[in-house]
Amino acid sequence: MTVPPSPDIEERVTELLSELTTKEKFMLLTSHGRHRIYTTKPIGRVGIPSFKMTDGPLGAAYHSSGFSKNTRFPATISLAATWDRRLAHEVGVAMGKEVRALGRHMLLAPGINIHRTPLNGRTFEYYSEDPFLTKELAIPFVKGVQSQQVGACLKHYAANNQETDRRSNSSEVDERTLHEIYLRAFRAVVKAADPWAVMACYNMVNGVYGSENRYLLREVLMDRWGFKGFVMTDWFATRNIETTEGCVNAGLSLEMPWPSKYKLKSLQRAYSEGKFTYETLEDVVRRYTRVMFLAGAFDDRDELPQGARNTIEHQELARRSGEEGMVLLKNKGGLLPLDMKSIDSITLLGPNLKKKYGRILSGGSSAVVPPYEITPLDGMREKCKDSIAIVSDVSQADVAIVFAGLGHGRGEDSETTDRRSLSLPENQEGIINQTAAANRNTVVVLMAGSPIAMSAWIDNVPAVLMAWYPGMEGGRAIVNVLFGDVNPSGRLPLTFPKKLSDSPAHSSGIPRTFPGVDKKVYYDEGIFVGYRWFDEKGIDPLFPFGFGQSYTSFEYRDVHLNKESLKRPEDVMQVELRVANVGQHAGSEVVQMYSHDVESLVPRPPKELIGFEKVQLGPGEEKNVVVNVNPHDLAFYDISQHDWLIEPGAFEILVGRSSQEINTRMEFTYG
Ligand code: BGC
């Protein structure tokens, strides 16, 4: 449960503000401390403490938590691949506890930007190419974090979809696309989970930087959506911004990590020249100090939740969520799960076999350094012990496993750079093909935070497991899935294209759409992002959005709608079905539901995700599943009204196992 904004807190804020001088109010707007770039400076006279933050989103990051080692959770994309709201909440709670135990007030997470290009260096830190999936998992995550009296911070608002020139480029995006794709999850999380902060993006959106973007901050976030928290800059994001008043008037409360536009003198001058009003100043200070109260910054630490770090529970949760996020992409002839009893020898290869990810700043600001990290080799050794020999001769082994993928180096999955190509780096394709030529039981385990092109090798190997970055217990998580202790139930939260030019930002083949020309990146594909694009253009992806195999099989029975029409936005309709596990293993299925607007005033995607449920079933078991259809999810953003519109008329509901494996289509009407 989120800590309620009790009247007491509002009164305490009012009281505090009445005691502050105008100069002190200015001082609150930035950290004023060069050496502590994640904490703000206290104001002793009125007892204002330091506000302390730490980077996320994989846990409390080393560089920003006083160089402390903390539980390293799987990457956000892996959490998204679980399609498991409850797990997202649990991870949020655990991260909140770690931050609380550090005595900090805010986790700089979650990152909820939409995957526009598979080359974005920060794809691993974000959830999905789809706003619905993003918000469905980010809402419980934020609620989980904030249940520990720790603030969550949604970032990077908005359209920060690439790292190339991120501090100087402008995302040129039309109004409908901006709202329907890039702002949609922000809006939903703000409304449903009341996050205490939003971090503005580095880039410009339609020519205006995030931290001074009055339209995005004041008008949309605060006035339209009713955001009650405060806005901070991304670190050093104000460098290219020209005026102080532009930021204040936009509603920016906190400039991090030290003053540039919010230097005391600049604030005083702009104020004395009447460039912003006293009310505006009060508002930005109020928003921020209110969150300080909510986070207990003024309270005795003994009276706050104590939190917990590096507990066995958190480490097990890291392992469990890593396991649940893994996506079985290929399993020809049922090579997986590996059978302990029938395998005598195994060969382990590939650059990711011994790789550790939790190093300082590795991958950028989300680098959490854990107290220990289980590599795939550690996990395999532990599992195989005396029963399976780990041998080096590929051709003699019963099974060969290649641990391939990316890391957090430049040009891979890393902040500040984008990936250079969609293919595996170095000679990894060669290693896979040579191994497959020598051993027909070759399994490829991919550790990466973004899609990989596989045409050069996938037909040569029988099994591929997408493990993402599975956290500090990753080696164990992978082994548990390979040997069938855990049945993989992850589903892709983004499309894997066959080749880069198939994906929307790259189809033009010219820099205009990526990485931009003259510091402008044109979102010419509009709302057709991710599977919306592949569906619309009829392009066959390598693996579609929502895809993932299992060691068992499922059947959908008696799929039907509980009514034929919806009259009002408040009405709810339900898709009801029975899901049966008709295989030999226990496992989880993700029932997915998409909508299609049959006739529309504006071009709409052939399908859009509007519901899903993850259901766990023992062998032979069957369960009833109910998925709600919420009319608001059928809406599009109408630019003539600058608002959402649910168009009356016929819609279709598509129920299936992935965006491309639809079992049932049913029609209903709205309005
Ligand atoms: C990143 C943010 C991060 C901040 C503070 C920036 O470079 O874009 O995600 O929270 O640094 O470390």
Side-chain angles (χ1 to χ4, degrees):
M1 216 192 75
T2 311
V3 178
S6 72
D8 177 35
I9 280 189
E10 308 303 335
E11 275 166 31
R12 286 167 85 185
V13 177
T14 306
E15 203 178 307
L16 177 74
L17 292 186
S18 72
E19 283 175 31
L20 293 177
T21 63
T22 308
K23 181 179 170 190
E24 283 164 343
K25 286 179 185 157
F26 291 149
M27 286 167 65
L28 275 173
L29 299 182
T30 180
S31 104
H32 291 275
R34 286 207 164 228
H35 303 295
R36 302 199 167 159
I37 69 167
Y38 293 92
T39 57
T40 63
K41 205 172 177 183
I43 303 181
R45 188 189 76 82
V46 273
I48 296 187
S50 170
F51 187 69
K52 299 175 181 166
M53 300 168 254
T54 178
D55 253 323
L58 278 62
Y62 188 68
H63 62 278
S64 53
S65 63
F67 303 105
S68 65
K69 295 188 173 178
N70 302 306
T71 306
R72 184 178 170 90
F73 291 90
T76 313
I77 196 165
S78 161
L79 186 60
T82 69
W83 294 58
D84 188 333
R85 299 174 182 92
R86 226 174 305 148
L87 193 59
H89 184 262
E90 260 186 86
V91 171
V93 170
M95 284 193 200
K97 284 188 176 164
E98 300 242 339
V99 176
R100 192 73 266 171
L102 287 161
R104 300 207 166 223
H105 307 114
M106 182 163 279
L107 179 71
L108 301 176
I112 60 167
N113 295 92
I114 294 297
H115 298 143
R116 174 176 182 256
T117 157
L119 295 191
N120 182 4
R122 299 188 87 171
T123 301
F124 74 103
E125 290 188 273
Y126 302 138
Y127 289 82
S128 173
E129 67 188 17
D130 181 78
F132 184 85
L133 180 59
T134 300
K135 65 118 171 156
E136 284 297 300
L137 298 171
I139 288 169
F141 176 87
V142 167
K143 287 185 176 173
V145 172
Q146 296 194 164
S147 70
Q148 301 307 306
Q149 227 184 323
V150 162
C153 173
L154 300 188
K155 64 190 192 180
H156 309 88
Y157 184 69
N160 182 179
N161 301 109
Q162 64 184 60
E163 290 299 283
T164 309
D165 297 328
R166 67 175 179 174
R167 286 163 187 250
S168 55
N169 69 19
S170 174
S171 299
E172 297 290 307
V173 46
D174 67 84
E175 185 185 350
R176 178 179 169 201
T177 303
L178 184 62
H179 285 266
E180 209 168 299
I181 301 293
Y182 298 103
L183 300 186
R184 196 170 191 162
F186 281 99
R187 174 178 183 261
V189 181
V190 163
K191 284 177 174 267
D194 188 18
W196 295 352
V198 162
M199 185 188 290
C201 58
Y202 280 121
N203 51 286
M204 291 180 264
V205 178
N206 296 326
V208 185
Y209 279 106
S211 302
E212 59 168 353
N213 201 311
R214 201 166 170 159
Y215 173 71
L216 282 179
L217 302 183
R218 182 62 72 189
E219 193 177 324
V220 174
L221 176 69
M222 296 171 186
D223 294 348
R224 280 202 218 169
W225 301 346
F227 174 64
K228 296 197 292 292
F230 76 92
V231 176
M232 71 176 88
T233 64
D234 200 340
W235 268 232
F236 305 104
T238 41
R239 249 183 220 157
N240 295 336
I241 288 178
E242 276 167 25
T243 72
T244 297
E245 61 274 15
C247 297
V248 182
N249 286 325
L252 178 76
S253 291
L254 196 59
E255 183 184 41
M256 292 302 288
W258 59 69
S260 154
K261 297 297 112 54
Y262 280 4
K263 283 185 180 139
L264 203 51
K265 282 215 171 83
S266 316
L267 283 161
Q268 282 167 330
R269 189 178 326 116
Y271 182 55
S272 67
E273 289 171 2
K275 291 186 170 153
F276 58 86
T277 64
Y278 189 71
E279 288 67 41
T280 307
L281 173 66
E282 282 278 295
D283 177 65
V284 291
V285 176
R286 173 180 284 275
R287 285 172 177 276
Y288 168 51
T289 47
R290 180 174 165 275
V291 169
M292 291 179 88
F293 279 110
L294 284 174
F298 290 87
D299 301 333
D300 200 335
R301 227 180 127 175
D302 294 343
E303 286 164 22
L304 299 170
Q306 294 305 296
R309 287 193 302 133
N310 298 316
T311 59
I312 291 180
E313 288 76 23
H314 289 182
Q315 290 155 2
E316 279 178 3
L317 176 61
R319 196 202 63 237
R320 197 153 43 87
S321 54
E323 289 165 354
E324 253 213 71
M326 283 183 207
V327 183
L328 182 62
L329 293 175
K330 183 172 180 184
N331 193 18
K332 204 170 153 199
L335 175 59
L336 296 177
L338 301 175
D339 179 10
M340 284 298 274
K341 287 186 228 98
S342 62
I343 296 175
D344 293 325
S345 61
I346 205 159
T347 298
L348 306 173
L349 308 102
N352 291 42
L353 177 62
K354 299 180 201 164
K355 205 175 250 176
K356 292 195 176 178
Y357 297 92
R359 296 193 316 274
I360 182 163
L361 288 178
S362 144
S365 51
S366 72
V368 177
V369 179
Y372 67 88
E373 189 171 343
I374 306 292
T375 64
L377 181 61
D378 298 332
M380 288 302 294
R381 281 192 175 139
E382 204 173 85
K383 184 81 182 177
C384 296
K385 277 202 209 110
D386 313 321
S387 41
I388 299 179
I390 298 177
V391 298
S392 53
D393 187 342
V394 179
S395 58
Q396 295 304 308
D398 293 327
V399 174
I401 309 180
V402 184
F403 292 88
L406 304 173
H408 291 315
R410 285 190 72 76
E412 298 183 272
D413 287 322
S414 180
E415 189 181 333
T416 73
T417 65
D418 286 321
R419 285 175 60 194
R420 287 183 207 104
S421 114
L422 203 57
S423 304
L424 288 170
E426 296 133 21
N427 183 29
Q428 294 193 35
E429 293 185 338
I431 297 173
I432 294 173
N433 282 333
Q434 282 153 22
T435 309
N439 190 318
R440 58 194 188 92
N441 292 334
T442 294
V443 180
V444 176
V445 176
L446 290 170
M447 299 176 79
S450 47
I452 305 283
M454 304 180 199
S455 314
W457 51 268
I458 187 145
D459 290 341
N460 306 334
V461 298
V464 183
L465 177 70
M466 187 73 202
W468 313 107
Y469 297 120
M472 63 184 288
E473 283 272 334
R476 286 196 182 111
I478 289 173
V479 165
N480 285 346
V481 170
L482 290 176
F483 284 90
D485 302 294
V486 171
N487 188 349
S489 65
R491 302 288 183 266
L492 292 181
L494 78 178
T495 307
F496 275 37
K498 284 187 179 151
K499 54 185 190 307
L500 190 61
S501 58
D502 286 346
S503 69
H506 303 274
S507 73
S508 71
I510 49 172
R512 178 184 158 89
T513 53
F514 182 89
V517 280
D518 302 328
K519 299 288 163 68
K520 287 185 174 169
V521 186
Y522 295 89
Y523 287 32
D524 290 346
E525 69 285 357
I527 57 160
F528 295 100
V529 174
Y531 63 90
R532 289 167 169 79
W533 171 266
F534 285 79
D535 282 350
E536 174 72 12
K537 300 287 171 193
I539 301 170
D540 229 9
L542 176 61
F543 295 109
F545 175 83
F547 176 82
Q549 300 193 32
S550 167
Y551 296 151
T552 191
S553 321
F554 301 97
E555 259 178 36
Y556 292 12
R557 296 175 181 159
D558 191 21
V559 187
H560 64 275
L561 292 171
N562 73 339
K563 37 176 111 150
E564 281 163 10
S565 62
L566 282 165
K567 300 282 175 232
R568 290 168 296 272
E570 312 75 57
D571 288 355
V572 176
M573 188 167 66
Q574 288 168 337
V575 173
E576 298 168 344
L577 66 152
R578 280 178 296 124
V579 181
N581 179 346
V582 293
Q584 306 302 316
H585 299 263
S588 294
E589 169 68 329
V590 180
V591 177
Q592 300 169 37
M593 192 171 84
Y594 298 83
S595 70
H596 167 64
D597 192 350
V598 175
E599 231 175 88
S600 172
L601 291 169
V602 295
R604 299 206 60 180
K607 66 173 94 72
E608 294 183 271
L609 184 72
I610 59 159
F612 62 88
E613 262 334 301
K614 191 162 193 174
V615 49
Q616 207 180 4
L617 295 160
E621 200 186 347
E622 182 172 315
K623 275 186 188 162
N624 289 328
V625 176
V626 176
V627 193
N628 287 340
V629 179
N630 181 341
H632 292 284
D633 295 319
L634 306 171
F636 70 90
Y637 188 88
D638 177 12
I639 52 168
S640 68
Q641 303 292 322
H642 309 291
D643 204 356
W644 291 87
L645 176 72
I646 315 168
E647 217 179 354
F651 284 88
E652 274 185 322
I653 291 285
L654 287 60
V655 181
R657 305 204 59 228
S658 82
S659 63
Q660 300 244 314
E661 197 182 329
I662 301 297
N663 302 324
T664 315
R665 300 179 89 101
M666 295 166 293
E667 209 171 291
F668 71 96
T669 56
Y670 175 80

